[in-house]
Amino acid sequence: MSEEPGTLERAVEATLFAAETPMGVEALAAHLGGLAPGDVREALVLLEARYRNRGIHLVERGGRWHFETAPDLAHLLRREKEQVRRLSRAATEVLAIIAYHEPVSRAEIESIRGVQTSAGTLDVLMEAGWVKPAGRREVPGRPVIYATTPDFLDHFGLASRRDLPGIDELRAAGLLDPVDEALEAAMQFEPDEDSTPDDENLAD
Amino acid sequence: MSEEPGTLERAVEATLFAAETPMGVEALAAHLGGLAPGDVREALVLLEARYRNRGIHLVERGGRWHFETAPDLAHLLRREKEQVRRLSRAATEVLAIIAYHEPVSRAEIESIRGVQTSAGTLDVLMEAGWVKPAGRREVPGRPVIYATTPDFLDHFGLASRRDLPGIDELRAAGLLDPVDEALEAAMQFEPDEDSTPDDENLAD
Amino acid sequence: MNATDQPFMFAPDAGRQDADALYLELDGWEGPLDLLLDLARRQKVDLRQISILALVDQYLNYIERAGALKLELAADYLVMAAWLAYLKSAMLLPKAEQEDPSPEELALRLQLRLQRLGAMREAAGRLMGRDRIGRDVFLRGAPEGLRTDRKTVWRSDLFSVIQAYGQVKARTAPRIYHVANRPVMTLDSALERVSSMLGVTLEWMEIRDFLPPHASPALKRSALASSFVAALELTKRGRAEIEQDGAFAPLRIRRLKDAAA
C-alpha cells in the first residue's frame, strides 16, 4: 500500500471490519462521531477501489456496506476433502444387479443375491450417484424401485446399459463358473453376509 | 493498493479474513491445499507489510495469525457494552505471576503473593481461556502446574511470551528467581548453614 | 534520603502524613504482604533501598490504629504484626546476641519478597494496559468462517461389476449334483469274502491277504476298510480273533477252532 490511507478511510475500514452487520453511510457517520455522510461516502468509494484486486472486497448491498471474500476465492471458505474409497463387494453386487435388472425393488435384489442387503449398501450407491430411486412398483406394498443414473454410465465408461455383457458372454468369459471357496474367502466377503443361496432366481 | 497482489497472497488474505480463529502457517498451508509452509510464510510477511498503515492490521500471536483493528483506532471502536471482563486485582496478579513464571504451581503463586489464592481466581482465568493446567510438578505431592494459553497471547497482543512487558529486565534483575535463590546469592551462602530459614510466618 | 548504607535505621515518617488515607479497612489489600508493599512504596525509594525498620513501625502503627478490623480478616495481619515486632526487637539487639537466622537475613528475605511481589504487580499493570482484544483492538465482527466438508468419492470399475454379477448368478444358479461311480467293496461282499477265506485255514492271516490281488488302488482302499470292518464283525460273532503287536503293526486274523466255518 504505497499510498498512505487517510484517517477517515482507516476509521471506516476498521469500523466495517469489526461490525457484526453491514452498515449504511448514515450509521457509519453517526458511529464515527457525527461526520458528514458525504465524507464517509467518499472514504467508502476510496476503500472500495483499494480492495478491488484484493482477496477481500468491500461491497454495497442495498445501501449497506460490508467486507466479504472475493467471489473468485469463495471456494476457499468451503473446502472439500475427498476421500476415495473402493466399493465393497456387497455394494458392487447390488450395483450389478440393479444395472442388469433395473428397475428393481430391494426385495428383488435380495432375492437375486440370495442374501439380505443392508440398508447402508443402497445408501452408498446413491451417495456415489450411481443409483437412484425410480418410482414404485405397483404391487402390494408399493416398494420403491431403483435404477442406475447417467453418472453410472459415465463412471463405468458405458454408452448405454446395452453395453453390459449378456449372460452368454459372461459364461464364455468364465464368469459364471462356480466360485471357488478359497477364492471367495480371498475376496473377503462382508461379515454380515451369509451365503445362503436361494433357489428363486429372477435373473433367468 | 497500486501493486497487484499475488494469487497466494490473496488466498491467504481471504482465508484469514474469513477464519473464526487465528491460524498458524501449517493450518493455512493445509487449508490452501497443501502448499509449502515457506510460501505461506512469505505471503504473510508481504500481507503484514501491506496492512501496516491501514485501519486493519495482520498480526502474529503465538505463531498464529489474525486480522484485527489498528490499536490507535480503539477510541472509535469501543462499544457501549464492555466486551472485556474486568479482572479483580487478585486475578490480574495471579495471571501475571503465571505468565512470567510459567509453569508454576498454586503454592508458588501463593508464596509470591503472600496470601492464599481463592479457588475462584484460577477458575476465572481458566474460564477466560488464558490459563490452563500444564501437568504436575514432579515433587512430593505432585502439585498441578499452570501455564498460559495461545489465547492469552492473542488477547494481550503478544507475539510470544518473550514480548511480555519487561520480562528481560525482570529476569536480568533476578526478580523471576525464587526468594531462596536470591537470598543465597545475596548472603554469599555458606554451605554448612541451614538452608531453609523459616518463612512460614510470611507465607500466611 | 538514601538508606543504602544503613538499611535498618529509622526512615522519616513516610507513612505518617498519609496515615488518614491509609486508614481503611483491610479489604483493600491482598493480605499483609500487599499492605507491606503499599507501605514500602510510600517510602518513595527503590524497593531495594527501603528501610525495613521504618516499614515495621509503619505496619505496626497501621495495625494498631485499624482498631475496628473484622477479626477473621485481621488474623493474617496480626500474625504478620507479631512477626515484625519480633524482627524489630532482634534487629535492635546487639549483634553478638543474635540467633540464627540472623535478623539481617530475615529482613533481607522480606525485602526480596516485597521486590518480587512489586515486580509482579507492576507487570500485571503493564499487561492489563496492553492493547487488548475486545477493548482496544477488535476482531472481524462477522467472519464467514472456514469449513471443511469431508466427502467420500466411491470408486469401482466395470470389470468388478460384471464379475460381481457373474458371481451372483453362479452362486444362485440351480445346481445338479453328480455322484461319481467310485469302485467300492461293500461290507456284505467283504464279509462273505473274509469268512470264506478264513474257512480255509486255522493259521494267522494278515488282513492284506484278504484283498483282491489285482484291484485298482481305489478299490484296494475300499476293500481294506470293508475287510477290517468284516473282521471286526466276525470277531464279535465269535467266529474269529484279531491280533496286532502294536500300533500300525500288521493286523492278523484267524478262525477260532471250535467255530463253524
Side-chain angles (χ1 to χ4, degrees), chain A residues 67 79 81 83 89 101 203, chain C residues 140 149 153 165 167 169:
Chain A
F67 281 109
R79 267 222 110 75
K81 250 199 191 131
Q83 189 190 10
R89 240 325 265 293
H101 297 264
Chain C
R140 188 157 178 220
D149 296 336
V153 176
Y165 189 67
Q167 283 170 10
K169 298 299 288 178

Side-chain angles (χ1 to χ4, degrees), chain A residues 70-120:
Chain A
D72 64 311
L73 296 175
H75 63 280
L76 292 176
L77 301 183
R78 194 129 306 165
R79 267 222 110 75
E80 263 185 9
K81 250 199 191 131
E82 292 195 340
Q83 189 190 10
V84 178
R85 286 179 63 187
R86 198 167 171 81
L87 212 54
S88 70
R89 240 325 265 293
T92 310
E93 281 189 15
V94 171
L95 177 62
I97 292 166
I98 295 174
Y100 273 90
H101 297 264
E102 74 176 47
V104 282
S105 70
R106 186 161 155 171
E108 289 158 358
I109 294 168
E110 290 181 352
S111 145
I112 295 168
R113 280 188 77 209
V115 288
Q116 288 223 333
T117 300
S118 75

Side-chain angles (χ1 to χ4, degrees), chain C residues 50 73 89 100 107 121 150 187 203 221 242 261:
Chain C
I50 51 163
L73 190 69
S89 63
D100 193 42
R121 196 196 280 179
R150 279 176 211 289
L187 181 57
E203 296 305 306
R221 270 205 303 280
I242 302 178

Side-chain angles (χ1 to χ4, degrees), chain C:
Chain C
M1 164 163 195
N2 190 337
T4 316
D5 300 324
Q6 299 148 296
F8 302 131
M9 73 167 275
F10 257 90
D13 301 340
R16 204 153 296 164
Q17 67 259 30
D18 292 301
D20 288 336
L22 267 177
Y23 195 67
L24 304 164
E25 69 271 39
L26 294 178
D27 296 334
W29 280 275
E30 293 277 329
L33 203 62
D34 193 35
L35 171 55
L36 270 172
L37 181 60
D38 241 23
L39 291 168
R41 284 263 159 78
R42 281 160 202 272
Q43 291 187 9
K44 297 201 170 64
V45 290
D46 191 298
L47 275 183
R48 281 168 298 185
Q49 299 174 346
I50 51 163
S51 155
I52 290 292
L53 216 43
L55 185 61
V56 169
D57 278 341
Q58 286 160 19
Y59 184 90
L60 295 177
N61 184 37
Y62 177 75
I63 293 296
E64 201 177 302
R65 295 177 64 186
L69 297 174
K70 278 187 261 168
L71 213 61
E72 72 276 17
L73 190 69
D76 287 353
Y77 294 84
L78 295 176
V79 169
M80 176 65 91
W83 186 82
L84 288 175
Y86 160 77
L87 178 62
K88 180 182 170 184
S89 63
M91 280 162 62
L92 294 175
L93 282 177
K95 288 248 181 221
E97 294 175 33
Q98 282 168 9
E99 292 175 20
D100 193 42
S102 67
E104 282 86 356
E105 186 183 326
L106 293 177
L108 180 56
R109 176 176 282 276
L110 177 60
Q111 202 171 349
L112 290 172
R113 296 192 67 195
L114 288 174
Q115 280 176 28
R116 272 153 188 73
L117 180 60
M120 280 305 104
R121 196 196 280 179
E122 212 167 281
R126 291 172 74 179
L127 202 53
M128 294 303 136
R130 289 188 63 83
D131 292 327
R132 289 168 63 185
I133 287 177
R135 191 187 68 177
D136 309 292
V137 297
F138 296 87
L139 302 178
R140 188 157 178 220
E144 290 97 333
L146 301 172
R147 233 178 71 191
T148 307
D149 296 336
R150 279 176 211 289
K151 191 182 160 200
T152 305
V153 176
W154 294 97
R155 188 170 56 87
S156 186
D157 58 81
L158 189 57
F159 179 72
S160 302
V161 171
I162 294 165
Q163 189 187 44
Y165 189 67
Q167 283 170 10
V168 169
K169 298 299 288 178
R171 192 168 73 220
T172 58
R175 289 180 194 175
I176 302 157
Y177 292 95
H178 295 283
V179 179
N181 198 3
R182 287 181 295 166
V184 288
M185 178 183 280
T186 63
L187 181 57
D188 283 341
S189 61
L191 259 177
E192 200 170 309
R193 188 180 164 83
V194 172
S195 45
S196 67
M197 285 177 79
L198 276 178
V200 175
T201 174
L202 272 170
E203 296 305 306
W204 287 104
M205 290 177 72
E206 213 193 311
I207 195 157
R208 296 194 180 279
D209 300 336
F210 294 91
L211 305 186
H214 304 295
S216 67
L219 179 60
K220 260 190 179 155
R221 270 205 303 280
S222 170
L224 178 62
S226 301
S227 300
F228 175 58
V229 175
L232 289 175
E233 180 61 29
L234 290 172
T235 306
K236 196 175 119 193
R237 291 182 195 168
R239 292 171 53 194
E241 55 183 344
I242 302 178
E243 70 164 27
Q244 189 177 26
D245 292 340
F248 305 110
L251 195 70
R252 290 185 299 231
I253 306 161
R254 72 172 177 189
R255 179 163 62 96
L256 281 177
K257 274 179 214 156
D258 50 349

